[in-house]
Amino acid sequence: MTTDTLLTVADFSVVYDVEPPVEAVSHVSLELRRGEILGLAGESGCGKTTLAYGIQRLLKPPAVITSGSAVFHDESGEDVDINSLTIDEMRAFRWNKVSMVFQGAMNSLNPVARVGDQLDDVFTTHRPSLKKAERTDEGKRLLDLVGVGRDRYRSYPHELSGGMRQRVMIAMAMALKPQLMIMDEPTTALDVLVQREILIQISQLREQLGFSVIFITHDLPLLLEISDRIAVMKDGKIVELAPAATIYRQAEHEYTRRLLGSFPSLTGDRGDFIRGGQHEEGDQ
Amino acid sequence: MTTLDFRHVTKQYKVRGAGDMLALDDVSFTLTSGQTIALVGQSGSGKSTIAKILTQLERETSGEVLLDGEPIPRRGKGLRAYRQRVRMVFQDPFASLNPYHTIRHHLERPLRLDKVVPGDQVEDEVRSLLKRVRLEPDAVVDRRPHELSGGQRQRVAIARALASRPELLIADEPVSMLDVSIRLGVLNLLADLQRESNLGVLYITHDLATARHFSDEIMVLHHGVVVERGPADDVILNPQHDYTRALRDASPDPDKHFADPAGPATPRS
């Protein structure tokens, strides 16, 4: 793996401009390496999704980026300051360089359009020079790549299982060979067997194609297995950023340890579980 | 001692255009008070069908369900009395509480309907139920569900299930909608209540780790068939059936991942 940097986020803040204003992301800085899987962990409301949206400028009012920058270091050597792109440049940048698998993605396919046509749309928009036959070929190749199979090209979303729909979304996110894929809880609604298949697939595709991944989830045990490094977020700040093994063995921040302790071990000791009565956690 | 017997229960759903779908195929088990059984399996394995039959939201196609040796009543007062003894906690605390009503109303209703305590003691009982689920009565009793956090709501839902003083509790994924840091708190609460009241609990989940730590026994369901059952530690640490092994191996397990001297399971360049 090369160690050069793909994305530099510096002093990034997002405020929801409501009364009173909420600083959802607070002065976050991080560097994402080329080919790396970076896990972004934290609980509901910690700002992880807002950060992911923010660096792609996908936020809507009342969210406002109040400080910082996200600079994308293109493989061509060019540096792109995402915040300073014009609307047309932004439209060309998104999906080409950075794509996203959204939360609940398996339900975000258009129910009345064939899967193949939805893949075709990506190419008609971003690769207008491709001929119809080339677009179809490429769409079918993508369905093979993610393990759905080209024979599903003409299927409607409801004819596919949840896991297959999720793979179609991943195929769509990979269509333009982006250098970064941001995945927001991509396997949360799936059961463990399907989740495992998809995780293995993501790892393999990353090996083959060399893209970077920002993988967002609250499932810390899962992140520990698939990530190179993990950033733990709380109240809009990254409280700890370290290689997965370090997070697992010697997490420095008290919150990281508490989050780890929230997951009873499958094969190890009981940990925090069932100590009867003395559990008064921070409900709010 | 309360005993619920599920005997050779089969459930077929009719699917339009696709014939019959066998959701449960000859499932038998016994749940007794004081015992916690976890029911695990992937989506579509039949877990919730068992819960629906136990609460008689669905009727079994064949087989028997017996409470203390008696077939469970199908309607009327008998069914209501049965449902007082066998209660359910649902997955989604955002959907299972009525947004129009206060927490007091939610807890008063089962107390009055099932005549658990005389009318003049209802208020005291509401407060004592809230205390049992570790909520401060004054802080929540006059609030409506949207004013509470997910964890608080699920505690209210548990208090409501306990109001009728049931003997058995069916908990269908009771913590999967909650934030991770409060899941253990709610499960530990359920474990405490289970011991205090000698409840029998059927814990339905797809999370093998909590199934192992929370329950005495684990039952593994696959395509409507119980493929393995046994003491919780045995089933997870030494699974006998291929499907159980597949489920276990698919579950994230950092302990195993980092213990492996060959390094991470996923190839790294």
Side-chain angles (χ1 to χ4, degrees), chain B residues 197-226:
Chain B
S197 312
N198 201 34
L199 282 169
V201 177
L202 185 69
Y203 173 49
I204 300 178
T205 184
H206 60 255
D207 179 5
L208 292 187
T210 57
R212 175 178 164 225
H213 297 303
F214 180 56
S215 50
D216 307 314
E217 267 188 53
I218 294 181
M219 252 185 338
V220 183
L221 202 62
H222 180 44
H223 291 323
V225 179
V226 176

PDB file of all heavy atoms in Angstrom, chain B residues 197-226:
ATOM      1  N   SER B 197     -37.979 -11.364  39.616  1.00  0.00           N
ATOM      2  CA  SER B 197     -39.350 -11.854  39.527  1.00  0.00           C
ATOM      3  C   SER B 197     -39.423 -13.297  39.053  1.00  0.00           C
ATOM      4  O   SER B 197     -40.498 -13.787  38.753  1.00  0.00           O
ATOM      5  CB  SER B 197     -40.163 -10.987  38.564  1.00  0.00           C
ATOM      6  OG  SER B 197     -39.970  -9.632  38.842  1.00  0.00           O
ATOM      7  N   ASN B 198     -38.255 -13.935  38.924  1.00  0.00           N
ATOM      8  CA  ASN B 198     -38.218 -15.313  38.457  1.00  0.00           C
ATOM      9  C   ASN B 198     -38.980 -15.495  37.135  1.00  0.00           C
ATOM     10  O   ASN B 198     -39.738 -16.436  36.949  1.00  0.00           O
ATOM     11  CB  ASN B 198     -38.787 -16.246  39.525  1.00  0.00           C
ATOM     12  CG  ASN B 198     -38.326 -17.671  39.322  1.00  0.00           C
ATOM     13  OD1 ASN B 198     -37.199 -17.894  38.869  1.00  0.00           O
ATOM     14  ND2 ASN B 198     -39.182 -18.629  39.620  1.00  0.00           N
ATOM     15  N   LEU B 199     -38.766 -14.517  36.236  1.00  0.00           N
ATOM     16  CA  LEU B 199     -39.443 -14.563  34.940  1.00  0.00           C
ATOM     17  C   LEU B 199     -38.805 -15.615  34.032  1.00  0.00           C
ATOM     18  O   LEU B 199     -37.622 -15.904  34.156  1.00  0.00           O
ATOM     19  CB  LEU B 199     -39.268 -13.217  34.228  1.00  0.00           C
ATOM     20  CG  LEU B 199     -40.095 -12.016  34.624  1.00  0.00           C
ATOM     21  CD1 LEU B 199     -39.527 -10.777  33.951  1.00  0.00           C
ATOM     22  CD2 LEU B 199     -41.534 -12.230  34.204  1.00  0.00           C
ATOM     23  N   GLY B 200     -39.618 -16.151  33.143  1.00  0.00           N
ATOM     24  CA  GLY B 200     -39.051 -16.903  32.027  1.00  0.00           C
ATOM     25  C   GLY B 200     -38.938 -15.937  30.860  1.00  0.00           C
ATOM     26  O   GLY B 200     -39.878 -15.205  30.580  1.00  0.00           O
ATOM     27  N   VAL B 201     -37.791 -15.892  30.199  1.00  0.00           N
ATOM     28  CA  VAL B 201     -37.604 -14.930  29.116  1.00  0.00           C
ATOM     29  C   VAL B 201     -37.200 -15.646  27.833  1.00  0.00           C
ATOM     30  O   VAL B 201     -36.302 -16.493  27.845  1.00  0.00           O
ATOM     31  CB  VAL B 201     -36.522 -13.875  29.481  1.00  0.00           C
ATOM     32  CG1 VAL B 201     -36.296 -12.921  28.315  1.00  0.00           C
ATOM     33  CG2 VAL B 201     -36.913 -13.094  30.724  1.00  0.00           C
ATOM     34  N   LEU B 202     -37.904 -15.322  26.756  1.00  0.00           N
ATOM     35  CA  LEU B 202     -37.463 -15.764  25.439  1.00  0.00           C
ATOM     36  C   LEU B 202     -36.845 -14.552  24.759  1.00  0.00           C
ATOM     37  O   LEU B 202     -37.533 -13.575  24.450  1.00  0.00           O
ATOM     38  CB  LEU B 202     -38.644 -16.296  24.615  1.00  0.00           C
ATOM     39  CG  LEU B 202     -38.255 -16.904  23.266  1.00  0.00           C
ATOM     40  CD1 LEU B 202     -37.485 -18.197  23.442  1.00  0.00           C
ATOM     41  CD2 LEU B 202     -39.485 -17.157  22.399  1.00  0.00           C
ATOM     42  N   TYR B 203     -35.525 -14.586  24.577  1.00  0.00           N
ATOM     43  CA  TYR B 203     -34.801 -13.448  24.042  1.00  0.00           C
ATOM     44  C   TYR B 203     -34.517 -13.713  22.573  1.00  0.00           C
ATOM     45  O   TYR B 203     -33.713 -14.569  22.226  1.00  0.00           O
ATOM     46  CB  TYR B 203     -33.498 -13.269  24.833  1.00  0.00           C
ATOM     47  CG  TYR B 203     -32.544 -12.234  24.296  1.00  0.00           C
ATOM     48  CD1 TYR B 203     -32.980 -10.960  23.963  1.00  0.00           C
ATOM     49  CD2 TYR B 203     -31.198 -12.530  24.143  1.00  0.00           C
ATOM     50  CE1 TYR B 203     -32.089 -10.017  23.478  1.00  0.00           C
ATOM     51  CE2 TYR B 203     -30.292 -11.594  23.660  1.00  0.00           C
ATOM     52  CZ  TYR B 203     -30.755 -10.331  23.331  1.00  0.00           C
ATOM     53  OH  TYR B 203     -29.870  -9.392  22.850  1.00  0.00           O
ATOM     54  N   ILE B 204     -35.219 -12.988  21.706  1.00  0.00           N
ATOM     55  CA  ILE B 204     -35.083 -13.191  20.268  1.00  0.00           C
ATOM     56  C   ILE B 204     -34.071 -12.188  19.738  1.00  0.00           C
ATOM     57  O   ILE B 204     -34.193 -10.988  19.971  1.00  0.00           O
ATOM     58  CB  ILE B 204     -36.448 -12.997  19.580  1.00  0.00           C
ATOM     59  CG1 ILE B 204     -37.445 -14.004  20.154  1.00  0.00           C
ATOM     60  CG2 ILE B 204     -36.315 -13.137  18.075  1.00  0.00           C
ATOM     61  CD1 ILE B 204     -38.829 -13.882  19.586  1.00  0.00           C
ATOM     62  N   THR B 205     -33.057 -12.683  19.048  1.00  0.00           N
ATOM     63  CA  THR B 205     -31.995 -11.768  18.605  1.00  0.00           C
ATOM     64  C   THR B 205     -31.225 -12.367  17.450  1.00  0.00           C
ATOM     65  O   THR B 205     -31.331 -13.554  17.169  1.00  0.00           O
ATOM     66  CB  THR B 205     -31.020 -11.482  19.769  1.00  0.00           C
ATOM     67  OG1 THR B 205     -30.056 -10.533  19.354  1.00  0.00           O
ATOM     68  CG2 THR B 205     -30.296 -12.753  20.202  1.00  0.00           C
ATOM     69  N   HIS B 206     -30.470 -11.506  16.741  1.00  0.00           N
ATOM     70  CA  HIS B 206     -29.501 -12.084  15.819  1.00  0.00           C
ATOM     71  C   HIS B 206     -28.076 -11.829  16.305  1.00  0.00           C
ATOM     72  O   HIS B 206     -27.119 -12.145  15.625  1.00  0.00           O
ATOM     73  CB  HIS B 206     -29.714 -11.564  14.396  1.00  0.00           C
ATOM     74  CG  HIS B 206     -29.582 -10.074  14.297  1.00  0.00           C
ATOM     75  ND1 HIS B 206     -30.663  -9.237  14.167  1.00  0.00           N
ATOM     76  CD2 HIS B 206     -28.510  -9.288  14.365  1.00  0.00           C
ATOM     77  CE1 HIS B 206     -30.245  -8.000  14.134  1.00  0.00           C
ATOM     78  NE2 HIS B 206     -28.935  -7.988  14.264  1.00  0.00           N
ATOM     79  N   ASP B 207     -27.974 -11.248  17.504  1.00  0.00           N
ATOM     80  CA  ASP B 207     -26.659 -10.939  18.044  1.00  0.00           C
ATOM     81  C   ASP B 207     -26.180 -12.081  18.940  1.00  0.00           C
ATOM     82  O   ASP B 207     -26.633 -12.259  20.059  1.00  0.00           O
ATOM     83  CB  ASP B 207     -26.767  -9.629  18.852  1.00  0.00           C
ATOM     84  CG  ASP B 207     -25.435  -9.248  19.467  1.00  0.00           C
ATOM     85  OD1 ASP B 207     -24.427  -9.929  19.194  1.00  0.00           O
ATOM     86  OD2 ASP B 207     -25.415  -8.274  20.231  1.00  0.00           O
ATOM     87  N   LEU B 208     -25.248 -12.863  18.411  1.00  0.00           N
ATOM     88  CA  LEU B 208     -24.814 -14.052  19.135  1.00  0.00           C
ATOM     89  C   LEU B 208     -24.105 -13.707  20.439  1.00  0.00           C
ATOM     90  O   LEU B 208     -24.185 -14.439  21.417  1.00  0.00           O
ATOM     91  CB  LEU B 208     -23.860 -14.883  18.263  1.00  0.00           C
ATOM     92  CG  LEU B 208     -24.449 -15.546  17.035  1.00  0.00           C
ATOM     93  CD1 LEU B 208     -23.414 -16.455  16.402  1.00  0.00           C
ATOM     94  CD2 LEU B 208     -25.676 -16.351  17.386  1.00  0.00           C
ATOM     95  N   ALA B 209     -23.383 -12.573  20.447  1.00  0.00           N
ATOM     96  CA  ALA B 209     -22.604 -12.244  21.639  1.00  0.00           C
ATOM     97  C   ALA B 209     -23.525 -11.998  22.835  1.00  0.00           C
ATOM     98  O   ALA B 209     -23.327 -12.572  23.911  1.00  0.00           O
ATOM     99  CB  ALA B 209     -21.716 -11.033  21.378  1.00  0.00           C
ATOM    100  N   THR B 210     -24.568 -11.173  22.663  1.00  0.00           N
ATOM    101  CA  THR B 210     -25.450 -10.938  23.806  1.00  0.00           C
ATOM    102  C   THR B 210     -26.276 -12.190  24.102  1.00  0.00           C
ATOM    103  O   THR B 210     -26.574 -12.463  25.260  1.00  0.00           O
ATOM    104  CB  THR B 210     -26.402  -9.736  23.593  1.00  0.00           C
ATOM    105  OG1 THR B 210     -27.171  -9.953  22.424  1.00  0.00           O
ATOM    106  CG2 THR B 210     -25.628  -8.452  23.477  1.00  0.00           C
ATOM    107  N   ALA B 211     -26.617 -12.958  23.066  1.00  0.00           N
ATOM    108  CA  ALA B 211     -27.354 -14.206  23.308  1.00  0.00           C
ATOM    109  C   ALA B 211     -26.557 -15.099  24.249  1.00  0.00           C
ATOM    110  O   ALA B 211     -27.089 -15.682  25.189  1.00  0.00           O
ATOM    111  CB  ALA B 211     -27.620 -14.937  21.994  1.00  0.00           C
ATOM    112  N   ARG B 212     -25.268 -15.140  24.010  1.00  0.00           N
ATOM    113  CA  ARG B 212     -24.428 -16.014  24.844  1.00  0.00           C
ATOM    114  C   ARG B 212     -24.404 -15.535  26.297  1.00  0.00           C
ATOM    115  O   ARG B 212     -24.522 -16.329  27.219  1.00  0.00           O
ATOM    116  CB  ARG B 212     -23.017 -16.030  24.269  1.00  0.00           C
ATOM    117  CG  ARG B 212     -22.074 -16.804  25.148  1.00  0.00           C
ATOM    118  CD  ARG B 212     -20.669 -16.894  24.602  1.00  0.00           C
ATOM    119  NE  ARG B 212     -19.797 -17.307  25.687  1.00  0.00           N
ATOM    120  CZ  ARG B 212     -18.627 -16.756  25.947  1.00  0.00           C
ATOM    121  NH1 ARG B 212     -18.163 -15.791  25.182  1.00  0.00           N
ATOM    122  NH2 ARG B 212     -17.912 -17.183  26.949  1.00  0.00           N
ATOM    123  N   HIS B 213     -24.267 -14.224  26.488  1.00  0.00           N
ATOM    124  CA  HIS B 213     -24.080 -13.754  27.854  1.00  0.00           C
ATOM    125  C   HIS B 213     -25.382 -13.570  28.620  1.00  0.00           C
ATOM    126  O   HIS B 213     -25.403 -13.567  29.832  1.00  0.00           O
ATOM    127  CB  HIS B 213     -23.309 -12.429  27.838  1.00  0.00           C
ATOM    128  CG  HIS B 213     -21.942 -12.579  27.264  1.00  0.00           C
ATOM    129  ND1 HIS B 213     -21.022 -13.465  27.774  1.00  0.00           N
ATOM    130  CD2 HIS B 213     -21.335 -11.982  26.221  1.00  0.00           C
ATOM    131  CE1 HIS B 213     -19.905 -13.402  27.067  1.00  0.00           C
ATOM    132  NE2 HIS B 213     -20.071 -12.515  26.118  1.00  0.00           N
ATOM    133  N   PHE B 214     -26.474 -13.393  27.879  1.00  0.00           N
ATOM    134  CA  PHE B 214     -27.732 -13.040  28.522  1.00  0.00           C
ATOM    135  C   PHE B 214     -28.562 -14.274  28.877  1.00  0.00           C
ATOM    136  O   PHE B 214     -29.405 -14.225  29.750  1.00  0.00           O
ATOM    137  CB  PHE B 214     -28.519 -12.119  27.590  1.00  0.00           C
ATOM    138  CG  PHE B 214     -29.851 -11.664  28.117  1.00  0.00           C
ATOM    139  CD1 PHE B 214     -29.937 -11.006  29.336  1.00  0.00           C
ATOM    140  CD2 PHE B 214     -31.009 -11.877  27.395  1.00  0.00           C
ATOM    141  CE1 PHE B 214     -31.156 -10.586  29.822  1.00  0.00           C
ATOM    142  CE2 PHE B 214     -32.240 -11.455  27.871  1.00  0.00           C
ATOM    143  CZ  PHE B 214     -32.298 -10.804  29.089  1.00  0.00           C
ATOM    144  N   SER B 215     -28.329 -15.387  28.181  1.00  0.00           N
ATOM    145  CA  SER B 215     -29.275 -16.485  28.336  1.00  0.00           C
ATOM    146  C   SER B 215     -28.617 -17.761  28.856  1.00  0.00           C
ATOM    147  O   SER B 215     -27.409 -17.934  28.779  1.00  0.00           O
ATOM    148  CB  SER B 215     -29.935 -16.762  26.981  1.00  0.00           C
ATOM    149  OG  SER B 215     -28.956 -16.886  25.991  1.00  0.00           O
ATOM    150  N   ASP B 216     -29.474 -18.631  29.388  1.00  0.00           N
ATOM    151  CA  ASP B 216     -28.990 -19.925  29.854  1.00  0.00           C
ATOM    152  C   ASP B 216     -28.794 -20.868  28.674  1.00  0.00           C
ATOM    153  O   ASP B 216     -27.831 -21.605  28.607  1.00  0.00           O
ATOM    154  CB  ASP B 216     -30.014 -20.563  30.811  1.00  0.00           C
ATOM    155  CG  ASP B 216     -30.390 -19.619  31.938  1.00  0.00           C
ATOM    156  OD1 ASP B 216     -29.469 -19.023  32.516  1.00  0.00           O
ATOM    157  OD2 ASP B 216     -31.589 -19.453  32.196  1.00  0.00           O
ATOM    158  N   GLU B 217     -29.780 -20.809  27.761  1.00  0.00           N
ATOM    159  CA  GLU B 217     -29.738 -21.716  26.626  1.00  0.00           C
ATOM    160  C   GLU B 217     -29.864 -20.944  25.329  1.00  0.00           C
ATOM    161  O   GLU B 217     -30.472 -19.878  25.303  1.00  0.00           O
ATOM    162  CB  GLU B 217     -30.945 -22.671  26.681  1.00  0.00           C
ATOM    163  CG  GLU B 217     -30.668 -23.966  27.365  1.00  0.00           C
ATOM    164  CD  GLU B 217     -31.835 -24.918  27.193  1.00  0.00           C
ATOM    165  OE1 GLU B 217     -32.259 -25.138  26.036  1.00  0.00           O
ATOM    166  OE2 GLU B 217     -32.330 -25.413  28.217  1.00  0.00           O
ATOM    167  N   ILE B 218     -29.313 -21.493  24.257  1.00  0.00           N
ATOM    168  CA  ILE B 218     -29.493 -20.889  22.937  1.00  0.00           C
ATOM    169  C   ILE B 218     -30.146 -21.912  22.017  1.00  0.00           C
ATOM    170  O   ILE B 218     -29.775 -23.091  22.020  1.00  0.00           O
ATOM    171  CB  ILE B 218     -28.152 -20.420  22.337  1.00  0.00           C
ATOM    172  CG1 ILE B 218     -27.576 -19.272  23.179  1.00  0.00           C
ATOM    173  CG2 ILE B 218     -28.315 -19.978  20.889  1.00  0.00           C
ATOM    174  CD1 ILE B 218     -26.272 -18.718  22.647  1.00  0.00           C
ATOM    175  N   MET B 219     -31.129 -21.432  21.263  1.00  0.00           N
ATOM    176  CA  MET B 219     -31.763 -22.246  20.228  1.00  0.00           C
ATOM    177  C   MET B 219     -31.462 -21.605  18.892  1.00  0.00           C
ATOM    178  O   MET B 219     -31.685 -20.414  18.733  1.00  0.00           O
ATOM    179  CB  MET B 219     -33.278 -22.224  20.426  1.00  0.00           C
ATOM    180  CG  MET B 219     -33.821 -23.492  20.924  1.00  0.00           C
ATOM    181  SD  MET B 219     -35.599 -23.605  21.043  1.00  0.00           S
ATOM    182  CE  MET B 219     -36.236 -21.988  21.118  1.00  0.00           C
ATOM    183  N   VAL B 220     -30.952 -22.365  17.958  1.00  0.00           N
ATOM    184  CA  VAL B 220     -30.602 -21.806  16.654  1.00  0.00           C
ATOM    185  C   VAL B 220     -31.645 -22.247  15.634  1.00  0.00           C
ATOM    186  O   VAL B 220     -31.898 -23.442  15.467  1.00  0.00           O
ATOM    187  CB  VAL B 220     -29.199 -22.266  16.204  1.00  0.00           C
ATOM    188  CG1 VAL B 220     -28.828 -21.600  14.882  1.00  0.00           C
ATOM    189  CG2 VAL B 220     -28.170 -21.957  17.271  1.00  0.00           C
ATOM    190  N   LEU B 221     -32.248 -21.265  14.985  1.00  0.00           N
ATOM    191  CA  LEU B 221     -33.317 -21.543  14.037  1.00  0.00           C
ATOM    192  C   LEU B 221     -32.817 -21.270  12.623  1.00  0.00           C
ATOM    193  O   LEU B 221     -32.176 -20.250  12.370  1.00  0.00           O
ATOM    194  CB  LEU B 221     -34.494 -20.612  14.369  1.00  0.00           C
ATOM    195  CG  LEU B 221     -35.882 -20.985  13.914  1.00  0.00           C
ATOM    196  CD1 LEU B 221     -36.316 -22.301  14.544  1.00  0.00           C
ATOM    197  CD2 LEU B 221     -36.858 -19.883  14.305  1.00  0.00           C
ATOM    198  N   HIS B 222     -33.075 -22.201  11.720  1.00  0.00           N
ATOM    199  CA  HIS B 222     -32.628 -22.042  10.336  1.00  0.00           C
ATOM    200  C   HIS B 222     -33.743 -22.557   9.432  1.00  0.00           C
ATOM    201  O   HIS B 222     -34.102 -23.733   9.524  1.00  0.00           O
ATOM    202  CB  HIS B 222     -31.334 -22.836  10.136  1.00  0.00           C
ATOM    203  CG  HIS B 222     -30.770 -22.741   8.746  1.00  0.00           C
ATOM    204  ND1 HIS B 222     -30.694 -21.555   8.053  1.00  0.00           N
ATOM    205  CD2 HIS B 222     -30.242 -23.680   7.933  1.00  0.00           C
ATOM    206  CE1 HIS B 222     -30.146 -21.772   6.869  1.00  0.00           C
ATOM    207  NE2 HIS B 222     -29.866 -23.050   6.765  1.00  0.00           N
ATOM    208  N   HIS B 223     -34.287 -21.699   8.583  1.00  0.00           N
ATOM    209  CA  HIS B 223     -35.401 -22.071   7.715  1.00  0.00           C
ATOM    210  C   HIS B 223     -36.519 -22.761   8.476  1.00  0.00           C
ATOM    211  O   HIS B 223     -37.030 -23.804   8.040  1.00  0.00           O
ATOM    212  CB  HIS B 223     -34.920 -22.984   6.583  1.00  0.00           C
ATOM    213  CG  HIS B 223     -34.043 -22.277   5.590  1.00  0.00           C
ATOM    214  ND1 HIS B 223     -34.240 -20.975   5.203  1.00  0.00           N
ATOM    215  CD2 HIS B 223     -32.947 -22.700   4.923  1.00  0.00           C
ATOM    216  CE1 HIS B 223     -33.311 -20.631   4.340  1.00  0.00           C
ATOM    217  NE2 HIS B 223     -32.502 -21.638   4.149  1.00  0.00           N
ATOM    218  N   GLY B 224     -36.867 -22.236   9.660  1.00  0.00           N
ATOM    219  CA  GLY B 224     -37.986 -22.773  10.407  1.00  0.00           C
ATOM    220  C   GLY B 224     -37.711 -24.063  11.150  1.00  0.00           C
ATOM    221  O   GLY B 224     -38.624 -24.673  11.693  1.00  0.00           O
ATOM    222  N   VAL B 225     -36.460 -24.503  11.177  1.00  0.00           N
ATOM    223  CA  VAL B 225     -36.109 -25.734  11.886  1.00  0.00           C
ATOM    224  C   VAL B 225     -35.087 -25.391  12.974  1.00  0.00           C
ATOM    225  O   VAL B 225     -34.169 -24.616  12.730  1.00  0.00           O
ATOM    226  CB  VAL B 225     -35.481 -26.766  10.907  1.00  0.00           C
ATOM    227  CG1 VAL B 225     -35.091 -28.041  11.642  1.00  0.00           C
ATOM    228  CG2 VAL B 225     -36.447 -27.070   9.769  1.00  0.00           C
ATOM    229  N   VAL B 226     -35.286 -25.951  14.166  1.00  0.00           N
ATOM    230  CA  VAL B 226     -34.282 -25.761  15.218  1.00  0.00           C
ATOM    231  C   VAL B 226     -33.126 -26.715  14.903  1.00  0.00           C
ATOM    232  O   VAL B 226     -33.266 -27.926  14.985  1.00  0.00           O
ATOM    233  CB  VAL B 226     -34.864 -26.069  16.610  1.00  0.00           C
ATOM    234  CG1 VAL B 226     -33.770 -25.961  17.674  1.00  0.00           C
ATOM    235  CG2 VAL B 226     -35.987 -25.104  16.930  1.00  0.00           C
TER     236      VAL B 226
END
